[in-house]
Amino acid sequence: MTTMTSMTRLLAMTVAFTCGLTGCASRSAQPSGNGGPSPVAGTKPGQTAANTAPPKLVVLLAVDQLRGDYLELYGGGFTAGLKRLTSEGAWFTRAAFPYLNTVTCAGHATIGTGTLPYRHGMILNQLYDRAAGTSPYCTVDPAVKDIALSHVPPAAAGNSAARLLQPTLGDAIKGERKGRIVSVSLKPRSAITLAGREADAVAWFDERGGWMTTPALSASLPLLQAYIAAHPPEADAGKVWERLRPIDAYQKEDAGIGEKGTGGWSATFPHPLGKPGTDPLGNAGAADDRTFYTRWQASPYADDHLGRMAVSLFESLRLGRGETTDLLAVSFSSLDMVGHNFGPRSHEVQDMLFRLDATIGRLLEALDAALGKDGYVLGLSADHGVAEIPEQVPGAGRIVSSVVREALQKGLAAALGPGEHVASVNYTDLYLKPEAARRVKEDPKVFAAARDALLAVPGIAQVLLGDELRGAEARRSTDRVRRAAALSYHPERSGDLIVVPRETWLQSTAATTHGTLYRYDQHVPVILYGPGVKAGRYEAAATPADLAPTLAALAGVTFRTEDGRVLGEAMASSGGKLTPP
């Protein structure tokens, strides 16, 4: 079978699938008008005070590692999407996560569900399984098998939302409106936790070099396969990432202390992608293709690819143009991969933001062209921020997990006697063997021995007993550290002991990372845009958990959460008072 024949068949399948799902009759966009769609007290779901129909599309954008101050530091260079959202949207400039474990899975689950980790259960990127003694990624599900959308075969264990303990906004839209739910990202833990259990199309990129989806979404396979076949990542092979703008448009020095590069790259531009089947030096005949795919994911080309995929799915499925309310979720992952390796001061991070600004601008233009500017509501946030590279900050440092484990083991052995007492060290969460866990909880002297041993490790500021974080009282504590740890604590998934690092001390060998309660990790943007939104800068307290209930209210969808609030002060038609349906 020729390539052209294969493509023809794939495109024919796509047309059949799309027409069956949405209908192929031509329909003009139906903007919702200028009277905002925000439901107020006494209205029914789907109805606004002015009796105008709410938008039929909710757009949820997440930018992995978009630190809150980036929009201020580098915003002068924005000309497209990010400029439009910050100047024409409602921007909560002081928004922040209130919890300790500011990592990708926790952040995306918070955005998707409007709840915090103690409730949704996605406390870390990897969830320790006490029975198995393993730490799989938060969406890994041995009961399912992923479906490959390109040439890379699926791994033994698949991915699903099985471990997500709360419904998402997407689940609510599917249940109440029978809408279409679409979510794409490079990371499965991002795409899946934004979408939930009831998605129609979800796709993510396997680090080995191929796109994947979940078997629950087999109906969308022709559409996804056709797009990926026509636009493979390999089309970017041989490209070189150069600065988008003249060097004097970038702040600070290039190749700062501690920058590491990735995939064999140096810390300075240019950054060649290379080609599949070559090693980091460009030599042919490499045993695997991960060098190219590692570089591609950590480049602006991956963001551009993801943006174009989102537009293709939006147009092919005619999202927002049916009788239902639809959701389009996109999580841009590449900034995180660049930030970990080059740090927040780098020219690479700045260039990623300038290019992401353009990518988001093209997405908004596509939405405008099909629906009109009043035809959709949009929310943007991030899953976490990032720390400075420790080598660039006086007094900063690194905490080594093996040193933490060894110190804890010695402290417990002194109190309990010889034997292996530590089961796992998973970032901030320390898991003990059953008998050691019982003794630490019941005997203050044993806890003190463990605590003191850990506090002797450079960079550890506090040690908390997990069992004391499980109640509502801890989550309401006036002690900021205790409250943040409690909001990250789930009794069935969290560690027996929780360590809190000192500020600017990192638990990572990457150039830099995140995952603490300090402002550089917690502070992220929260932006609303669309009909019913009152543009401006807001200093009121807000968290990314507020996005889902607020977007639901704007779209007239019933969705209440215990942790997120409706950001009524940014609603144009509510006078600052908004009651969700």
Side-chain angles (χ1 to χ4, degrees), residues 230-312:
H231 305 88
E234 294 80 9
D236 291 324
K239 291 183 177 179
V240 178
W241 176 19
E242 298 268 16
R243 290 181 187 85
L244 181 66
R245 296 175 183 167
I247 191 169
D248 59 5
Y250 298 79
Q251 300 178 33
K252 306 186 185 300
E253 65 177 333
D254 192 19
I257 298 172
E259 292 187 25
K260 293 189 174 183
T262 186
W265 279 343
S266 72
T268 58
F269 282 103
H271 299 305
L273 295 190
K275 299 179 180 180
T278 60
D279 66 16
L281 298 178
N283 300 313
D288 70 45
D289 297 336
R290 293 199 188 188
T291 295
F292 168 76
Y293 295 112
T294 296
R295 291 175 172 182
W296 182 79
Q297 291 178 84
S299 79
Y301 302 110
D303 272 351
D304 178 66
H305 183 96
L306 200 65
R308 288 186 286 114
M309 176 185 283
V311 169
S312 176

Side-chain angles (χ1 to χ4, degrees), residues 237-435:
K239 291 183 177 179
V240 178
W241 176 19
E242 298 268 16
R243 290 181 187 85
L244 181 66
R245 296 175 183 167
I247 191 169
D248 59 5
Y250 298 79
Q251 300 178 33
K252 306 186 185 300
E253 65 177 333
D254 192 19
I257 298 172
E259 292 187 25
K260 293 189 174 183
T262 186
W265 279 343
S266 72
T268 58
F269 282 103
H271 299 305
L273 295 190
K275 299 179 180 180
T278 60
D279 66 16
L281 298 178
N283 300 313
D288 70 45
D289 297 336
R290 293 199 188 188
T291 295
F292 168 76
Y293 295 112
T294 296
R295 291 175 172 182
W296 182 79
Q297 291 178 84
S299 79
Y301 302 110
D303 272 351
D304 178 66
H305 183 96
L306 200 65
R308 288 186 286 114
M309 176 185 283
V311 169
S312 176
L313 290 168
F314 161 72
E315 293 176 341
S316 297
L317 288 170
R318 296 183 57 82
L319 297 178
R321 282 159 283 185
E323 299 302 317
T324 63
T325 300
D326 300 323
L327 173 71
L328 173 64
V330 186
S331 176
F332 295 98
S333 307
S334 295
L335 178 64
D336 180 73
M337 301 178 191
V338 172
H340 274 294
N341 291 287
F342 294 95
R345 302 181 184 182
S346 66
H347 287 196
E348 285 80 4
V349 159
Q350 295 172 62
D351 200 70
M352 286 294 299
L353 290 169
F354 296 155
R355 292 171 181 270
L356 180 62
D357 169 56
T359 294
I360 292 176
R362 289 189 289 272
L363 173 60
L364 297 181
E365 289 172 357
L367 298 174
D368 293 345
L371 303 177
K373 288 188 176 182
D374 287 341
Y376 59 95
V377 290
L378 180 150
L380 178 143
S381 192
D383 52 352
H384 52 74
V386 69
E388 301 291 332
I389 294 176
E391 288 75 15
Q392 298 177 3
V393 180
R398 296 181 183 274
I399 301 170
V400 181
S401 294
S402 60
V403 173
V404 172
R405 182 172 187 139
E406 181 180 358
L408 179 56
Q409 172 62 30
K410 287 182 178 179
L412 288 173
L416 300 176
E420 186 61 39
H421 301 300
V422 181
S424 179
V425 173
N426 191 2
Y427 208 54
T428 53
D429 286 44
L430 313 183
Y431 299 84
L432 306 179
K433 298 289 187 178
E435 179 60 19

Side-chain angles (χ1 to χ4, degrees), residues 92 526 528 540-543 546-547 549-550 565-571 574 576 578:
F92 286 79
V526 166
L528 298 164
T543 82
D546 301 330
L547 269 186
T550 304
R565 71 178 181 93
V566 174
L567 298 171
E569 58 266 49
M571 302 303 164
S574 65
L578 186 70

Side-chain angles (χ1 to χ4, degrees), residues 124-147:
L124 287 166
N125 288 336
Q126 294 173 274
L127 304 179
Y128 182 65
D129 184 329
R130 292 179 186 270
T134 58
S135 297
Y137 275 103
C138 59
T139 55
V140 167
D141 184 354
V144 303
K145 194 172 186 66
D146 296 337
I147 293 179

Side-chain angles (χ1 to χ4, degrees), residues 65-69 95-103 340 382-388 427 480 501-507 512-525 544:
Q65 205 182 110
L66 182 61
R67 205 167 80 172
D69 62 348
F97 289 102
Y99 54 76
L100 171 62
N101 292 336
T102 43
V103 296
H340 274 294
D383 52 352
H384 52 74
V386 69
E388 301 291 332
Y427 208 54
R480 178 175 177 269
R502 288 173 53 192
E503 190 167 1
T504 68
W505 279 72
L506 309 187
Q507 295 172 270
T512 187
T513 193
H514 45 82
T516 73
L517 49 71
Y518 300 110
R519 182 166 177 78
Y520 50 74
D521 284 342
Q522 288 188 337
H523 180 212
V524 295

